[in-house]
Amino acid sequence: MEFQYRVNFSSAIQQDSALPLLFVARMMVIFLLWIRGMDNILPPFLPFLESLNLLRGQGWLFFLLDWLYWISLLMVFVGFRYYFFSLVLAALVFFSIISSKPQFSNSFLYSGCILFLVGMHRPGMDWIFRIQIALLYLGAGFNKLFDPDWISGQYFDFFFSEPYRNSLYLTLSSLIPERGLVLFFSYSSIVAELGLGAWALLKKRRILLVLLINFFHISMLFLTLGELSYIFYFLMAVSSYLLLPWEEMKGMVIPYSQESQYFSFVKFWDFDRFFNWKVFDRQIFVFDNKKNSLSLQLISILFSKYLYGFLILILVFICRYKHNLLALF
Amino acid sequence: MRRVIISAFFLIQLIGIIYSRFMEERYFCWAPFDQISLYEIKSTVNGVVFSPEEIKSRYNLQGNGRENRSIHHVFSIIKQYEESYGKEDKVVVKVIYSTNGKAKEEWNFSTE
């Protein structure tokens, strides 16, 4: 079979998709720079592949990689050939991880996976994000399922007693016998992760799935007072955004009253005019039957990517700098 | 070709999840926060007891730290360093750790 490969720098292919790929790619840039604090490509240090040690001392190479990294960040952020530069960023993330065991983290790896899939995506391939999210949750769930400390509740007993000390838990656990509370947390976490993973593979009730993913991670933030894990909340809130039914919702008519402050606010944030905003007029009030069953307010705010992204950033900012913010008061 | 690459990409992840069942380390298997291990590294290099700052500089690990995936990541990093970059040194390393609040254990490594 003759194999041909041609690098296509056209962005026209990505414009055929309603998925907010550029939004996700930009949020990954924010993740790398702000949350991860990655401002350069480090030389190998205790790599997973020993042969990468040969690159140590090649300062010129990492000087070039740094330039490549920053150019790619900029290109993705401004949206120029962003799917190509997403692939470049993904490669640099994977290289950083493979070349240094201490650099390894699941969040860092996941950001690389999302950037890779954004770069590889073409119209009709929305399934790749469902599978990636499913792999993450199913992997996390199965790992816990076979861990004795999770099954016995030992993990959460220690979790809320020491590293994430929670006085409410300590009070409740003394009232509920036989480690009932920790077992509840253990099994509900496992069931939630396995359930979300399995659900991600389906194309059913995707709006509810995305809301539950957000709820799952925000509830963890709440229980740990913003500690665990705003990083994964950020990544999952952003990546799960791609699971929403974008194609079906594109151009949907949103009838609204100009006196409605809510809709005026949400319409302001719809910079791309994803929805078809119509001033309320009873004569033109036409609705698809399926959409009738969903809250207009929820849909309009959920599919407003700039507002959604802003809310994610605000929550992460509060969690990350909560001690500084509390000090102000 | 694109679908083949993506399929291989997912297959690698699936293999990682399955393979981790047979390993003590938790790399590349989507296991964040599966264990919480508090550890203390005590390292003597060529007869000199290292401070926490020197330990951080040597292994890129905190002298007193927390590992949220598997304590075996700490062991793996120390072992790999001493068998590669530090193979000319004579070291005695002790890691005192506790996983998920259970009784303290020790891991020892020596090249003397």
Side-chain angles (χ1 to χ4, degrees):
Chain A
M1 180 175 71
E2 186 177 350
F3 170 65
Q4 283 186 310
Y5 178 74
R6 185 181 62 186
V7 176
N8 189 341
F9 288 97
S10 168
S11 62
I13 293 171
Q14 289 298 323
Q15 289 169 2
D16 292 339
S17 175
L19 258 63
L21 294 166
L22 179 55
F23 163 78
V24 169
R26 282 171 169 158
M27 292 296 270
M28 289 300 116
V29 167
I30 292 174
F31 169 80
L32 290 174
L33 286 177
W34 175 41
I35 298 177
R36 180 77 190 175
M38 179 178 172
D39 54 10
N40 63 342
I41 307 297
L42 297 172
F45 178 76
L46 302 179
F48 285 96
L49 295 174
E50 299 268 352
S51 55
L52 289 175
N53 279 318
L54 294 171
L55 300 179
R56 282 167 66 87
Q58 307 296 322
W60 62 270
L61 174 63
F62 292 92
F63 177 77
L64 287 177
L65 288 179
D66 285 347
W67 270 95
L68 184 61
Y69 176 62
W70 281 100
I71 289 170
S72 300
L73 288 172
L74 182 62
M75 293 299 110
V76 169
F77 204 75
V78 302
F80 178 76
R81 313 294 188 216
Y82 70 89
Y83 71 98
F84 171 75
F85 287 101
S86 291
L87 283 176
V88 174
L89 281 177
L92 291 172
V93 168
F94 293 148
F95 173 77
S96 295
I97 292 172
I98 297 293
S99 63
S100 176
K101 271 186 185 175
Q103 287 271 326
F104 177 88
S105 77
N106 286 283
S107 58
F108 194 26
L109 179 63
Y110 189 72
S111 69
C113 291
I114 294 301
L115 283 164
F116 174 76
L117 293 175
V118 166
M120 293 294 280
H121 178 271
R122 288 296 178 269
M125 293 177 70
D126 301 356
W127 53 269
I128 62 178
F129 300 109
R130 295 206 307 274
I131 292 180
Q132 180 59 72
I133 290 172
L135 279 169
L136 175 83
Y137 281 124
L138 290 174
F142 276 119
N143 276 306
K144 294 178 176 68
L145 196 60
F146 295 104
D147 191 313
D149 285 347
W150 276 85
I151 300 301
S152 69
Q154 173 67 31
Y155 176 89
F156 268 115
D157 194 33
F158 172 66
F159 182 96
F160 284 122
S161 300
E162 201 166 317
Y164 301 99
R165 192 172 180 84
N166 189 306
S167 53
L168 178 61
Y169 159 78
L170 293 172
T171 303
L172 288 176
S173 64
S174 64
L175 301 173
I176 300 172
E178 301 298 327
R179 296 160 70 89
L181 195 56
V182 291
L183 288 175
F184 168 76
F185 281 125
S186 286
Y187 286 105
S188 59
S189 297
I190 293 171
V191 168
E193 287 182 335
L194 292 177
L196 290 173
W199 192 343
L201 294 172
L202 309 173
K203 284 188 82 172
K204 308 284 185 189
R205 310 295 292 269
R206 285 176 281 167
I207 293 177
L208 184 57
L209 170 62
V210 172
L211 290 174
L212 282 176
I213 288 174
N214 275 271
F215 174 76
F216 177 64
H217 290 279
I218 290 174
S219 64
M220 274 198 284
L221 282 175
F222 177 74
L223 286 170
T224 59
L225 302 177
E227 293 285 343
L228 191 72
S229 160
Y230 62 81
I231 296 176
F232 258 103
Y233 158 70
F234 181 96
L235 290 171
M236 298 318 297
V238 170
S239 60
S240 68
Y241 206 46
L242 295 167
L243 301 182
L244 289 174
W246 291 95
E247 297 290 349
E248 291 89 327
M249 292 294 182
K250 189 176 181 181
M252 184 177 115
V253 173
I254 303 280
Y256 73 103
S257 167
Q258 286 181 312
E259 293 164 357
S260 168
Q261 289 184 331
Y262 175 88
F263 280 114
S264 298
F265 172 75
V266 178
K267 179 171 177 270
F268 166 78
W269 283 91
D270 188 11
F271 301 129
D272 297 337
R273 286 299 176 259
F274 178 77
F275 291 117
N276 188 357
W277 298 90
K278 296 284 187 190
V279 175
F280 183 79
D281 181 332
R282 293 179 195 278
Q283 291 176 331
I284 66 166
F285 193 92
V286 178
F287 237 122
D288 180 88
N289 283 335
K290 287 183 183 177
K291 309 300 183 293
N292 272 333
S293 66
L294 298 171
S295 168
L296 247 191
Q297 290 182 334
L298 175 62
I299 291 174
S300 61
I301 201 168
L302 189 58
F303 284 82
S304 173
K305 51 183 173 287
Y306 297 103
L307 182 55
Y308 183 79
F310 179 71
L311 292 173
I312 292 171
L313 291 172
I314 287 291
L315 185 53
V316 170
F317 181 87
I318 291 171
C319 292
R320 191 175 167 90
Y321 302 111
K322 61 180 183 297
H323 297 296
N324 303 79
L325 291 170
L326 285 172
L328 291 175
F329 299 98
Chain B
M1 189 64 193
R2 188 177 299 270
R3 288 173 188 260
V4 170
I5 293 171
I6 292 174
S7 298
F9 177 70
F10 289 142
L11 186 61
I12 289 170
Q13 293 182 53
L14 192 58
I15 291 171
I17 293 170
I18 296 170
Y19 187 64
S20 71
R21 295 285 93 230
F22 308 101
M23 300 291 290
E24 289 171 318
E25 293 165 10
R26 288 287 179 269
Y27 293 117
F28 305 107
C29 62
W30 299 126
F33 292 99
D34 268 22
Q35 299 175 3
I36 297 178
S37 298
L38 304 177
Y39 65 85
E40 180 187 3
I41 301 173
K42 294 184 178 180
S43 184
T44 304
V45 181
N46 297 326
V48 178
V49 177
F50 267 26
S51 66
E53 293 75 24
E54 288 168 313
I55 288 172
K56 169 70 176 173
S57 177
R58 189 173 180 90
Y59 306 120
N60 203 6
L61 291 170
Q62 298 292 339
N64 286 283
R66 192 174 89 189
E67 171 54 53
N68 292 327
R69 290 165 293 263
S70 168
I71 190 61
H72 291 273
H73 291 191
V74 173
F75 306 157
S76 166
I77 287 168
I78 293 172
K79 188 166 181 286
Q80 185 172 345
Y81 185 97
E82 299 305 345
E83 289 178 348
S84 55
Y85 310 144
K87 61 185 177 184
E88 302 297 325
D89 299 323
K90 295 198 186 312
V91 298
V92 177
V93 184
K94 180 192 291 186
V95 179
I96 303 166
Y97 66 97
S98 167
T99 298
N100 296 335
K102 293 186 287 193
K104 284 189 178 179
E105 296 179 71
E106 272 187 25
W107 177 82
N108 294 287
F109 180 85
S110 173
T111 58
E112 284 190 341

